[in-house]
Amino acid sequence: MPTLNKAESARINGAKSRGPVTPEGKKRSSLNAVRHGLLAKSICLTNEDPEKFKELLQDYLTRLQPADNVELRLVEQMASAAFRLERFASAETALFDLEMDAQTPQIEKEFKKIDHASTFALAFKSLADNSKALQLYLRYETTISRQYDRALKQLLTLRAKFPPEAEVPNEPNDERATTNDERRASASLPNEPTTTSNVATECETKPPNDDDAHLYR
C-alpha cells in the first residue's frame, strides 16, 4: 500500500475523532453550557429550574462534542427536545392524577371497592371521551420526538459528509534541522573548496624551486 501523505492522514484521523480526551480539552468543553443561559430561559417554564436544563444540555455537549456552531445548534435542538419530552412525561402523570382526583367522589359512591388499575382506566376513558387534552398531549409528544430524531439525523449526516479535519502536526525541531542541513549539503558544488584562506596560505608559504630562484634575487 502506498504511504499516505500528511493531509490525507490528517483527514482520516480527524474523521475518527470523538472530541477532546485531555483534561484541558474537557475543561474547555465544560464551559460550553455557561454560554446557554438565554437558551435555558427560553426553554424553561417559570416553575422549572433552569439549572436542570443546563445540566441536561451539558450532558449532550460532553457526549456529542460539537465541532462548530452548526453542530452546536443541532445539539441544542436535541437537548431542548429531550427536556420537553421529560416535561411531557411528568405532565402525563399529572393529567391522570387530576382526572382520578376529580372522579374520586363519584367512584366512592358507585364502588365499594376498586383497584388502582380500574381507577386509572376510568380516568383514561373519561379523558378520551370527554376531553381533547389526551389527544393533544399525544400529538405534541410525537412532534417533539420527531424534532429530536431529525436533529440527531442531521448531525450524523453532517459528520459523515463533512468530518472535522485534524490539524497537521509540525515536524520535530531536530528533524527540520536535519532536513535543512541535508538540503544545504546537496546544494553545494562537488569540487568547491571549503575556504579560500587555506589556498592562499599554501601558495604564500610554498618555497621556490631552483628554476625560479632568479626571481627572488
Side-chain angles (χ1 to χ4, degrees), residues 153-167:
K153 182 178 180 180
Q154 290 176 351
L155 178 63
L156 297 177
T157 302
L158 179 66
R159 288 182 171 178
K161 291 185 177 181
F162 307 101
E165 294 185 0
E167 295 183 358

Side-chain angles (χ1 to χ4, degrees), residues 164-199:
E165 294 185 0
E167 295 183 358
V168 178
N170 294 327
E171 297 178 353
N173 293 332
D174 55 346
E175 292 184 4
R176 288 200 302 269
T178 303
T179 302
N180 292 335
D181 292 340
E182 293 176 352
R183 289 176 180 175
R184 285 195 295 268
S186 61
S188 60
L189 298 177
N191 297 325
E192 184 179 5
T194 55
T195 59
T196 58
S197 58
N198 294 338
V199 178

Side-chain angles (χ1 to χ4, degrees), residues 78-183:
M78 294 174 59
S80 173
F83 187 78
R84 286 183 290 164
L85 285 174
E86 292 183 0
R87 175 194 297 159
F88 270 88
S90 60
E92 179 187 16
T93 302
L95 183 65
F96 285 107
D97 281 339
L98 290 173
E99 186 62 24
M100 288 188 292
D101 291 342
Q103 291 182 349
T104 297
Q106 185 64 28
I107 290 176
E108 290 178 348
K109 292 180 180 180
E110 297 181 4
F111 303 93
K112 294 182 179 180
K113 186 177 180 180
I114 188 172
D115 57 18
H116 296 292
S118 298
T119 302
F120 172 76
L122 290 173
F124 186 90
K125 185 177 185 303
S126 176
L127 289 172
D129 294 343
N130 305 318
S131 174
K132 296 181 179 180
L134 188 59
Q135 290 85 345
L136 184 61
Y137 165 83
L138 295 175
R139 187 187 310 164
Y140 271 98
E141 185 183 39
T142 302
T143 301
I144 296 174
S145 296
R146 289 176 178 174
Q147 291 175 356
Y148 181 95
D149 294 338
R150 182 166 59 248
L152 176 58
K153 182 178 180 180
Q154 290 176 351
L155 178 63
L156 297 177
T157 302
L158 179 66
R159 288 182 171 178
K161 291 185 177 181
F162 307 101
E165 294 185 0
E167 295 183 358
V168 178
N170 294 327
E171 297 178 353
N173 293 332
D174 55 346
E175 292 184 4
R176 288 200 302 269
T178 303
T179 302
N180 292 335
D181 292 340
E182 293 176 352
R183 289 176 180 175

